[in-house]
Amino acid sequence: MPLFFFSFPNSNPLRWTISLCHDIKLTPPNLTPLASSTQAQNTQYYKDPTFSTITSSSPQDQLLLTLLKQRKTDEAWLTYTQTRTTHLPSHTCLSRLVSQLSYQNSEEALSRAQSIITRLRQEGQLHRLDANSLGLLAVAAAKAGHTLYATSVIRSMLRSSYLPHVKAWSAVVSRLAGSADDGPVVALKLFGSVTRRIRRLDDRALAKDSLPDTAAYNAVLNACANLGNIQKFLQLFEEMPEFGAKPDVLTYNVMIKLCARAERKDLLVFVLERIVDEGIAPCITTLNSLVAAYVGFYDLGTAEKVVQAMREGRLDLCKILRDCNVAKPDTVDTDVSDLFSILLPKSVTGKVTDPPLLPKPYPPDSRIYTTLMKGYMKEGRVSDVVRMLEAMRHQKDSASHPDHVTYTTVVSALVKVGSMERARQVLAEMARVDVPANRITYNILLKGYCQQLRIDKAKELIRDMASDAGIRPDVVSYNILIDGCILVDDSAGALAYFNEMRAQGISPSKVSYTTLMKAFALSGQAKLAQKVFNEMVKDPRVKVDLVAWNMLVEGYCRLGLIEEAKKMVQRLREDGFHPDISTYGSLANGIALARKPGEALLLWNEIKGRFEGGKDKTSTPSPPPIKPDEGLLDTLADVCVRAAFFKKALEIIACMEENGISPNKTKYKKIYVEMHSRMFTSKHASRARQDRRIERKRAAEAFKFWLGLPNCYYGSEWRLEPLDGDDTVGSSV
């Protein structure tokens, strides 16, 4: 039951199929339900009479609709803004305006569409928008990187009994699957929300445009692969037939990624064999994924054999990989192995059958060569990177000639070894051979200059980037410059670049905020770090993470403000995070600066519980275990030795030795001799004081024994004072 449809000039039909979706409506007033009462209990389907014709009795609506029909979106927006305080447009006008603004695919247009949503939400009129417009808005927000907003739009539609078109909600799932932080987890939850809603319908045909297709499953399977969640991957893979979705070559490409994440190099060949056995033609991306997987395993030998076989046009690639294959790792979990045996049955009895042949030769293209080149770069083989670039230039097949990704890889390899002049020569060569450098190329060069503390060169490059190449810096460019300012201890410069970025209309990312917080934290400006943190909390486009909290804790600890730092730690716990090594390291350094050894004992008790497997009882649920860190333990041991807490110092030292960390015995010996060599030497202490300090003396003697200093456990001619003196701490304590 389609409602109104409209097309856009010069539109890509594959990209914007969502604009032809069917609308599944919320219950607005004066609408006639088209679903039975039983069906309406779950999801309501309605036809709005105002959508039957695109006319309106209001002159403002008629003008707005005329402008929208003529694709004069900017003029339509201006008309809307001029009357929005006195007039609320009709359903048709609002839906069309939001749709066309979303389709413009620009930050300004997206902001305008979001302002309409905000107004309608405040006035309780969100039902005036149809599913088509909301779906387009979600897609536009996801493409612009506003995945949190896009997710909220889809969830709002589900709560309001809309079922978004599969092109809309799967686009959001796809973006979430590849995003940082908990994006893949949110992608799984969003996919589950949609499919659960569909399963509750009595007649799925009513939601045929919302049913998950192969592309939707590929997106959520990619989320599973990124998480390394094999069990969920298998569950979703096996439920694809329920919705009529069939695995395609992209599905198996994602399976290659899953095997790589699970560190099962032995299974890669069986994914390729299953593709061929299923009658699916592998694509060049399949083979690139295989090469990338072997590169990720640092198995350049096998990666080179794959590329060479492709160059020779061989069809027996499966046999080649079988011959190179390694046995299943001994440390593989039995349950994991069982899951993979269901996904890849031939991995259990693979040696019994002959490996299949590829349906056709696949000559390597520039992407394959570049992937192998990245493997050389990872191993520091810069000469091989440059040699491969030269070889690609002389290839007869134009598809194998170096492209901007290839050249950028060479630039990255040279920057990695600090050869900035040669990297600039490659940039000049790109212009000479008419392969335009992109923003990524320039950002890599920027980072190289900043790492070498050549900030003047970085500033010069960013000017050339805009004037010569016509490329505007993006948020990554500014993040690199902000971090470069930090490296040269220029917090004012970091703030200047942050403000310049916002003045250019570039939205700060999470990295932008945390990097600026780092600048203020390292310079001891905790209050300014707090202000940046507060701005980050208010920004709906970013999500505060543990890195931001740690920067805040670091800022206070550098000033020795332990109480304020502890308050931040409590707040991060309330926000659902657990302190990590970085958090504890900052606290330990702050305690040392503030000279509060009692706090060190409390901190050690908490950390010790985390080392033992997450037994810390201060948080609910129990925090995950953490690995011992040399810097953290050394700082705590230092504080305890200086405070004469020798028993605790020995505990920490024992923990270091058990975890393969060598304590700095020379440093501790120096501290002991300088601060505590005259302990327990007073001849006038009372017997009561002597009795109270027996345990302390025992701990001190044990610590001296560990240091190799004369102690009561073995004899020596060397004495600072008679060991049988009264047990009173000297004035140095």
Side-chain angles (χ1 to χ4, degrees), residues 560-563 590-601 639 643 645:
L561 302 175
I562 297 302
E563 291 306 316
I591 288 168
L593 180 64
R595 298 184 180 181
K596 293 186 175 181
E599 294 287 351
L601 299 183
V639 172
F645 296 154

Side-chain angles (χ1 to χ4, degrees), residues 321-342:
L321 291 179
R322 283 235 194 149
D323 293 339
C324 296
N325 211 9
V326 294
K328 182 174 70 174
D330 297 332
T331 57
V332 173
D333 189 290
T334 304
D335 294 336
V336 170
S337 187
D338 291 342
L339 294 174
F340 273 120
S341 67
I342 300 172

Side-chain angles (χ1 to χ4, degrees), residues 9 28 32 100 124 300 349 365 611 668:
T32 305
Q100 291 185 208
L300 287 184
T349 58
D365 61 2
F611 288 161
Y668 300 142

Side-chain angles (χ1 to χ4, degrees), residues 251-269:
T251 312
Y252 291 105
N253 292 348
V254 175
M255 195 180 292
I256 291 174
K257 181 194 286 190
L258 179 71
C259 294
R261 288 296 173 92
E263 298 184 353
R264 293 297 302 273
K265 182 170 67 170
D266 59 304
L267 297 178
L268 296 174
V269 61

Side-chain angles (χ1 to χ4, degrees), residues 409-420 423-424 441 444-449 451-452:
T409 303
V410 177
V411 170
S412 182
L414 294 171
V415 167
K416 190 175 181 181
V417 296
S419 184
M420 296 303 300
R424 288 300 295 267
T441 315
I444 290 172
L445 286 167
L446 276 176
K447 189 169 185 179
Y449 281 128
Q451 287 175 339
Q452 293 186 359

